[in-house]
Amino acid sequence: MTVYKGYIYMAKKNVGIFLLYLGIFFGIILMFQLLNRENSTGGYQKESLRIAVVDQDGGEMAEALKSYLRDLHQVIELRDNASVLQEKMFYRDVHYVVRIPEHFYETCIVKGEKVPVTQVPGSYTSFYVEQQLNSFLNNARVYEAAGFTEAESARESKRSADVKVELLDTSGNGGEVPNYVNYFRYLPYLFLGVLGYVVGSMIFSMKRGDLKKRMQASAISQRRQSIEGLLACATIAMILWGIVIGVAILFYGKEMNKNPGSPYLLLNSLAILCVSITISYFIGSLSKGMNSLNGMVNVIALGMCFLGGAFVPLDVMSAGVKKAAQFIPVYWFETANELLSRYNLEVVRKEVLQAIGIQFVFAGAFVCMALAVAKRRRAV
């Protein structure tokens, strides 16, 4: 295993890069975790705004409208004094003013005229209140058209229309995206970045200068040299995979235990690891210097991660980009990752295994390409 030891010796010279990428990766994950805590699904709730109501009618329907708005917002009643209203809006004591005109039921419900309102210019909150106000008016007009009296329409319109939503638990996580999804989403960049540089520099160092001539004059066959080189690359990769998965279990072990798809999640990470090894070996075989190696690693790692859905979610990509991304192994890794996080394993098992299998096919293709390049260079 002399060749294997030589590769490992070369890898030890790049421990700094190895640790640097790990530090960047864990820093990004920590940042996203902090953001997710502030923007979890449990944080979505109705927004309550400060609204002023000027009631010039005092009828039953006007009282129903005020009751409806109180259920949704902080409502204060004011007199129709232009200077007071302007002062309140200037200092943002209120964000919206609703004027209920005289004969409100006849003019705004029966005849369908608009309710006079005043809003802060350019404020998005005005659209929010306007939508709710229109909802109340439309419901009241439906009751009036159905033959209800003003008292009956007011009573029905005043009733709360709270809607209870029950999430369909297709993934076993109550409709919430598990915290470890983002952790696994960025693994391709870590694997391609670390292995691309470390493995690529190993391969490049073993084929330059007198070391290349010694390797060619060695009694060890070229085939065995290639196999031992791949074995050394696999060793470095498994060390990286062990660190990453160990940290994932340490921080997300309880969540992952609840998900029956976790073993497939680990298998998916192992598949992209194999792809990263073979791509790195291929890059090292093609590179003609450290500068070209750095350039290829950055272009391939960033390009695959952007197009494959690691940095930009697949949901926001256009159909054309998705079709092109299917020729990138990272796309299939992210597809399997998303399926396992959103759906029950029994429903998507076939699609997940298909995505994982395609990644191993990509890995095999890159191995063949790397060995072909190595063979051609030896012939030259």
Side-chain angles (χ1 to χ4, degrees):
M1 301 291 285
T2 305
V3 178
Y4 172 83
K5 293 179 181 178
Y7 277 103
I8 296 299
Y9 175 79
M10 295 294 180
K12 290 180 180 179
K13 294 184 177 181
N14 297 298
V15 173
I17 297 296
F18 186 93
L19 297 177
L20 176 63
Y21 271 95
L22 279 177
I24 294 174
F25 173 74
F26 291 129
I28 292 174
I29 294 301
L30 178 61
M31 179 182 67
F32 276 101
Q33 285 298 108
L34 295 175
L35 291 176
N36 285 340
R37 288 179 181 177
E38 297 176 0
N39 300 290
S40 61
T41 54
Y44 290 96
Q45 56 185 0
K46 292 186 293 186
E47 186 72 18
S48 179
L49 304 175
R50 291 186 295 274
I51 296 177
V53 175
V54 178
D55 186 2
Q56 298 174 334
D57 179 75
E60 292 181 276
M61 186 57 71
E63 292 297 329
L65 176 57
K66 290 189 289 184
S67 176
Y68 171 79
L69 292 175
R70 286 192 188 99
D71 291 338
L72 300 173
H73 304 284
Q74 304 170 34
V75 177
I76 59 173
E77 291 194 51
L78 298 175
R79 290 180 297 176
D80 190 11
N81 187 316
S83 60
V84 173
L85 293 174
Q86 290 175 354
E87 182 180 359
K88 292 285 185 182
M89 296 195 72
F90 179 80
Y91 290 107
R92 299 300 187 265
D93 293 331
V94 295
H95 296 85
Y96 203 82
V97 177
V98 179
R99 288 182 172 85
I100 303 177
E102 293 181 338
H103 310 295
F104 171 60
Y105 182 76
E106 289 77 12
T107 57
C108 297
I109 304 301
V110 178
K111 295 181 181 180
E113 296 182 10
K114 292 185 177 181
V115 176
V117 298
T118 306
Q119 58 194 25
V120 176
S123 173
Y124 71 92
T125 56
S126 61
F127 298 102
Y128 178 63
V129 180
E130 185 177 358
Q131 183 182 24
Q132 295 169 335
L133 181 60
N134 289 334
S135 177
F136 174 87
L137 295 175
N138 291 335
N139 288 336
R141 288 163 187 162
V142 169
Y143 292 131
E144 188 275 332
F148 284 54
T149 64
E150 179 180 356
E152 292 172 337
S153 299
R155 184 174 61 252
E156 294 298 325
S157 300
K158 190 165 53 176
R159 290 182 178 178
S160 176
D162 290 339
V163 177
K164 294 183 179 180
V165 179
E166 183 177 352
L167 294 175
L168 181 62
D169 192 5
T170 58
S171 60
N173 52 33
E176 296 186 0
V177 178
N179 289 326
Y180 55 80
V181 170
N182 282 331
Y183 184 88
F184 282 91
R185 175 177 293 163
Y186 298 105
L187 285 185
Y189 179 69
L190 174 67
F191 289 163
L192 288 170
V194 172
L195 297 178
Y197 189 87
V198 176
V199 172
S201 62
M202 286 166 51
I203 304 300
F204 172 74
S205 298
M206 296 295 285
K207 69 179 184 181
R208 66 176 180 177
D210 294 335
L211 187 57
K212 178 182 177 180
K213 297 178 182 179
R214 292 178 183 178
M215 296 282 288
Q216 291 175 342
S218 172
I220 302 174
S221 65
Q222 295 292 337
R223 181 173 177 272
R224 182 172 177 179
Q225 290 181 21
S226 298
I227 292 174
E228 290 191 22
L230 285 173
L231 183 60
C233 296
T235 301
I236 302 300
M238 290 307 298
I239 292 174
L240 176 62
W241 186 79
I243 294 174
V244 170
I245 299 303
V247 173
I249 294 174
L250 179 64
F251 286 98
Y252 310 107
K254 293 182 179 179
E255 289 184 83
M256 294 174 67
N257 286 334
K258 296 178 182 178
N259 189 348
S262 294
Y264 291 84
L265 199 65
L266 299 180
L267 181 61
N268 190 38
S269 67
L270 195 59
I272 195 64
L273 180 76
C274 293
V275 172
S276 301
I277 297 171
T278 54
I279 290 177
S280 302
Y281 193 91
F282 179 62
I283 292 174
S285 301
L286 287 178
S287 63
K288 297 181 179 180
M290 293 304 297
N291 291 332
S292 63
L293 175 66
N294 292 336
M296 285 190 288
V297 169
N298 289 329
V299 170
I300 291 175
L302 292 174
M304 283 191 173
C305 290
F306 270 111
L307 294 177
F311 295 152
V312 181
L314 296 173
D315 294 339
V316 301
M317 291 185 177
S318 64
V321 174
K322 286 184 179 180
K323 286 184 179 180
Q326 292 179 8
F327 296 95
I328 299 175
V330 176
Y331 169 85
W332 297 102
F333 169 82
E334 298 298 342
T335 298
N337 191 39
E338 292 293 326
L339 290 173
L340 289 170
S341 64
R342 295 185 179 184
Y343 302 100
N344 189 283
L345 177 62
E346 299 301 324
V347 178
V348 297
R349 188 193 302 270
K350 182 179 178 181
E351 289 81 0
V352 170
L353 290 175
Q354 180 183 12
I356 294 174
I358 291 174
Q359 293 178 70
F360 282 116
V361 171
F362 271 107
F366 280 112
V367 168
C368 295
M369 293 168 62
L371 294 178
V373 170
K375 184 177 180 179
R376 181 176 179 82
R377 289 203 166 183
R378 286 196 299 267
V380 175

